[in-house]
Amino acid sequence: MLVAAGFMVIFFALRMLRHRRCEPRPPARRLKAPLLGAATVLLPCGVTLSMEMLAVTSASAVGGAAVMGGFVVGTAPAFALLGFVLRRVSQSRLAAFAGVVAVAAGLWTITSGLSLGGWLPQEASRAAAMAKTGPGGVQLLTIWATERGYRPGVSQARAGVPVEVDFRAGEGAACATHLTIDGRDVDLPATVRLPAQPPGQLRYVCAMGMFTGFITFR
């Protein structure tokens, strides 16, 4: 989704660079704005997800609708003002600068999505930390949660042997201190004990889906 969103941002940025003047839109095309605005609830935004969680935990259709309705009413003025400002900017020479910034943001978003999926070459070729053998033959791994993700991002262990992963929280780790691994939600610092794994790759990801790491079993 991040990769697709990045390409969309670049697409609209290129349109902005091509058409600096914003011409009046027919009423039929103006209807797209509310639909696109409503679709933003599908984006992985921390604030939006928090409100959605609050709505779900209300265990009431009416209560959940009230929570989301209040969220929409509360944020609508800010987004309306933002849209007005962007429309005025698009009619000025700042449109070219805004288009360049948007292209850069789109490229950054695409890179984030590729990194999150482990599809970048440097992610795959990065030197992996090898597990150490502890008491009883259990493998030991130490992984740090940092403000830039998990270090090491790729770890290696032997398949068919239990593993203890010592997750430690660094300063400024933020959302990286909450992760999901092997179907379990974990708050760091914590030690996660994994049973013997088959050959393959085990992926873990932070609660926001921004940072990911891998344990490769060979």
Side-chain angles (χ1 to χ4, degrees), residues 3-79:
V3 173
F7 278 114
M8 289 185 62
V9 170
I10 293 176
F11 171 76
F12 287 114
L14 294 177
R15 287 188 59 187
M16 180 184 297
L17 291 173
R18 184 178 179 183
H19 305 288
R20 295 187 183 183
R21 301 295 297 180
C22 192
E23 299 177 357
R25 303 292 185 183
R29 297 187 63 180
R30 291 177 184 173
L31 295 178
K32 294 182 179 179
L35 296 178
L36 290 174
T40 57
V41 298
L42 302 177
L43 296 177
C45 169
V47 177
T48 303
L49 290 175
S50 299
M51 298 304 298
E52 291 172 351
M53 182 64 68
L54 182 62
V56 170
T57 54
S58 68
S60 167
V62 176
V67 169
M68 297 308 298
F71 177 61
V72 171
V73 172
T75 56
F79 281 108

Side-chain angles (χ1 to χ4, degrees), residues 14 38 70 72 87 102 104 118 144 150 156 161 167 172 199 209 216:
L14 294 177
V72 171
R87 183 176 180 85
W144 283 87
Y150 299 104
Q156 289 186 2
V161 181
F167 283 105
T216 302

